[in-house]
Amino acid sequence: MIVDKRMTGQLQGEFVVFLIGMRINRWWKVHKWLRVAFAMPRMLRELAQKPELGFLGYEQWPGRTILVLQYWRSMDALLAYAKNRDAAHLPAWRSFNKLVGTSGDVGIWHETYRVRAGDYENVYVNMPPFGLGKVGELVEATGKRQHATDRLTA
């Protein structure tokens, strides 16, 4: 459903933005990168089924470099999942190190950002609910929310 208005996304309290992905460096080594690529959907399904883990949602983009934009309730929740012996992440991490390691065949990366309450800004025009507007509350970007500087100081 496209929202044909100027909107902004809000989320109460502090949250975490986690960017994670992989890059296919040697496309002909399908037996290596395909197994790595299949690990992320397993983890995303697990997280979607267990909201108590603090995972709020994600967006993703395919390509030679795959990017997954994730939103988490807190840094503690993200780190707890990363270390959870009963979750899909640790086996996937161990498998990557065993299968690929530092061979250069497949790259993996992540960036983590802790966002303080109200210390962010966004706008969505003629978009379906997306990103922060999908995991949080989508409100019209009017009045005190009309301009980026206003949204940052609201």
Side-chain angles (χ1 to χ4, degrees):
M1 165 192 80
I2 294 175
V3 180
D4 58 352
K5 295 179 181 176
R6 193 176 159 81
M7 306 296 284
T8 187
Q10 298 179 333
L11 188 59
Q12 296 298 314
E14 186 175 282
F15 61 94
V16 171
V17 175
F18 184 59
L19 302 171
I20 186 168
M22 66 170 267
R23 182 177 189 276
I24 300 167
N25 293 329
R26 299 187 178 114
W27 61 267
W28 60 92
K29 294 200 175 183
V30 177
H31 64 288
K32 298 233 177 162
W33 62 259
L34 192 59
R35 288 174 66 184
V36 175
F38 282 159
M40 184 56 71
R42 266 194 307 275
M43 288 183 270
L44 292 172
R45 276 192 304 277
E46 174 182 61
L47 290 163
Q49 293 168 357
K50 298 180 180 180
E52 68 274 11
L53 296 177
F55 179 71
L56 301 174
Y58 71 97
E59 301 289 347
Q60 65 183 342
W61 293 268
R64 180 178 182 183
T65 300
I66 296 167
L67 177 120
V68 182
L69 165 63
Q70 299 181 0
Y71 296 92
W72 288 79
R73 184 69 269 169
S74 69
M75 189 68 73
D76 289 342
L78 172 61
L79 295 174
Y81 178 73
K83 297 174 185 178
N84 185 341
R85 294 176 190 261
D86 298 322
H89 174 263
L90 276 180
W93 178 240
R94 288 183 185 117
S95 176
F96 173 83
N97 283 312
K98 185 176 180 180
L99 181 69
V100 179
T102 57
S103 69
D105 297 333
V106 182
I108 58 171
W109 61 275
H110 77 257
E111 297 179 7
T112 310
Y113 304 94
R114 182 178 305 183
V115 182
R116 292 179 297 194
D119 201 9
Y120 59 90
E121 181 281 324
N122 58 70
V123 69
Y124 309 95
V125 182
N126 299 326
M127 288 286 294
F130 181 86
L132 194 64
K134 186 164 77 174
V135 302
E137 178 187 10
L138 205 52
V139 296
E140 279 197 65
T142 58
K144 293 180 185 177
R145 298 182 194 103
Q146 186 165 354
H147 302 288
T149 53
D150 298 334
R151 289 189 295 274
L152 283 168
T153 58

